[in-house]
Amino acid sequence: SLEDYEETVKAAKKAWKIWADIPAPKRGEIVRQIGDALRQKIKVLGSLVSLEMGKIFVEGVGEVQEYVDVCDYAVGLSRMIGGPILPSERPGHALIEQWNPVGLVGIITAFNFPVAVYGWNSAIAMICGNACLWKGAPTTSLISVAVTKIIAKVLEDNKVPGAICSLVCGGADIGTAMARDERMDLLSFTGSTKVGKQVALMVQERFGRSLLELGGNNAIIVFEDADLNLVIPSALFAAVGTAGQRCTTARRLFLHESIHDEVVVKLAKAYAQIRIGDPWDSDTLYGPLHTKEAVKMFLDAVEQAKQQGGSVACGGKVINRPGNYVEPTIVTGLPHNAPIVHTETFAPILYVLKFKEEEEVFAWNNEVKQGLSSSIFTKDLGRIFRWLGPKGSDCGIVNVNIPTSGAEIGGAFGGEKHTGGGRESGSDSWKLYMRRST
């Protein structure tokens, strides 16, 4: 309730005063212990992710592993963050850039990565000297509670308050309270572009700071010289991994006209071999969608694609079995600018589109409102560097000869345009969790 929320914010603010006084390397040591505590429970936590969210067990475990890895990364960072001492133009003066924690970081996470996204934020925020207030998705509360209990024990074993990493479970009312709350020194929000826009406006209204990780409408571009043995598995995993419910899922596949038909046949054949079943079964590659609403959105999108001139090359239907299962789907024949192609449907639908020239397809990659992840398959070195350059992909994540999904913790994760512009995890994204004093 909002009363619980109020009590939690007060406890977190109070705990921050203790945490901010602890030297950064010592904070790093406590974060290292959190990583170890998660390591010990990785399989049971992975099972819980799988049970609650619906992703396959190995993906659930992989997600907890990301949190563990970010803890390791944060330990090293705790001894390295700092600003320069600059030459002063005034005799006998020192000019220093000092980085200080912002205070309380609110972290609102989405159902699709109910552990990893919190991990990216919290591990870095903690070594920077911040307290965290987490609101997970209402449909994945159990995993939020389990992770928080593990963290709280580590904190309390180190004689510091568990409230340094506080948790509130709740719906949109709690999210709105966080966005409007001036005590929230930074609000990190992961979710849809639509809700992200509302959050951004509420935070901006109070001159607050926000870090936004919103939608993606990611493309893979395959040129005529691509290695198709790489393309087929990459496109398949990028499009159907997590049943198409990643922000980095491939939703558009641009194929050069000379290889279009061949790739569609090979990809449809690969789709037919996807092992669909219980996410806890080690043989399963593809589980259910998260909710009944997601199934409805899937069916609506397939219908719209047909109305706009698309042909369903495979899939397109609900699977007749208990649970929110739908067929992984490939749609061909749509133009690059069809309204449905420009809509991010959080489901396993891949739109396969034809192109002729490099310049046009780079423009088509960039014409959608989102700018998260993108990928090309080619052996042409000149083209690779054009793709990475100023007139290439306008996305935050730019891949070559690998799929759009997946990221490394050492690099800053996030995207441009309607993806929100935020960056989490590696590189210098720690600066977002701190304020600079010159």
Side-chain angles (χ1 to χ4, degrees), residues 53-56 59 63 111-113 237-246 249 285-290 346-348 405:
M53 186 270 153
K55 65 175 62 172
I56 59 174
E59 283 190 15
E63 189 178 331
F111 74 85
N112 61 332
F113 282 88
F237 282 106
V240 309
T242 326
Q245 297 168 114
R246 292 180 183 173
T249 292
L285 190 70
Y286 174 95
L289 290 176
H290 186 54
F346 229 55
S405 53

Side-chain angles (χ1 to χ4, degrees), residues 391-411:
K391 293 179 183 173
S393 172
D394 67 356
C395 294
I397 300 168
V398 187
N399 301 289
V400 177
N401 293 330
I402 56 166
T404 54
S405 53
E408 293 197 28
I409 60 148

Side-chain angles (χ1 to χ4, degrees), residues 228-263:
L228 297 190
N229 293 327
L230 278 179
V231 170
I232 304 302
S234 296
L236 182 136
F237 282 106
V240 309
T242 326
Q245 297 168 114
R246 292 180 183 173
C247 48
T248 53
T249 292
R251 310 205 179 276
R252 300 175 295 150
L253 176 62
F254 291 107
L255 301 174
H256 188 268
E257 58 183 12
S258 63
I259 54 163
H260 176 277
D261 296 356
E262 182 191 352
V263 172

Side-chain angles (χ1 to χ4, degrees), residues 23-75:
K26 173 67 179 147
R27 294 193 295 250
E29 164 56 21
I30 294 171
V31 170
R32 185 194 66 75
Q33 292 172 31
I34 290 170
D36 277 352
L38 292 165
R39 257 187 195 96
Q40 285 160 22
K41 299 270 196 324
I42 194 162
K43 286 201 165 144
V44 68
L45 288 171
S47 291
L48 190 50
V49 170
S50 189
L51 176 73
E52 222 177 3
M53 186 270 153
K55 65 175 62 172
I56 59 174
F57 173 67
V58 290
E59 283 190 15
V61 170
E63 189 178 331
V64 182
Q65 184 63 49
E66 273 197 39
Y67 194 169
V68 170
D69 293 343
V70 172
C71 286
D72 285 350
Y73 178 84
V75 178

Side-chain angles (χ1 to χ4, degrees), residues 221-365:
I221 301 169
V222 183
F223 287 91
E224 64 275 25
D225 63 341
D227 179 350
L228 297 190
N229 293 327
L230 278 179
V231 170
I232 304 302
S234 296
L236 182 136
F237 282 106
V240 309
T242 326
Q245 297 168 114
R246 292 180 183 173
C247 48
T248 53
T249 292
R251 310 205 179 276
R252 300 175 295 150
L253 176 62
F254 291 107
L255 301 174
H256 188 268
E257 58 183 12
S258 63
I259 54 163
H260 176 277
D261 296 356
E262 182 191 352
V263 172
V264 171
V265 169
K266 285 184 168 165
L267 197 55
K269 209 179 205 171
Y271 265 54
Q273 292 165 29
I274 295 168
R275 296 185 302 277
I276 300 169
D278 181 341
W280 272 358
D281 187 332
S282 60
D283 282 341
T284 301
L285 190 70
Y286 174 95
L289 290 176
H290 186 54
T291 58
K292 289 272 177 278
E293 290 78 30
V295 176
K296 187 184 177 306
M297 286 190 321
F298 165 83
L299 287 171
D300 288 350
V302 171
E303 200 44 53
Q304 284 177 51
K306 286 179 187 166
Q307 284 168 10
Q308 290 167 28
S311 310
V312 176
C314 72
K317 296 192 283 294
V318 172
I319 298 171
N320 185 17
R321 59 176 293 162
N324 306 319
Y325 286 85
V326 301
E327 293 174 344
T329 301
I330 298 172
V331 176
T332 59
L334 283 166
H336 66 94
N337 55 356
I340 192 65
V341 173
H342 281 232
T343 306
E344 182 195 25
T345 304
F346 229 55
I349 305 171
L350 182 65
Y351 304 109
V352 180
L353 312 145
K354 243 184 226 183
F355 76 93
K356 281 189 173 76
E357 304 292 335
E358 175 189 305
E359 202 175 321
E360 72 175 357
V361 80
F362 283 8
W364 293 351
N365 174 75

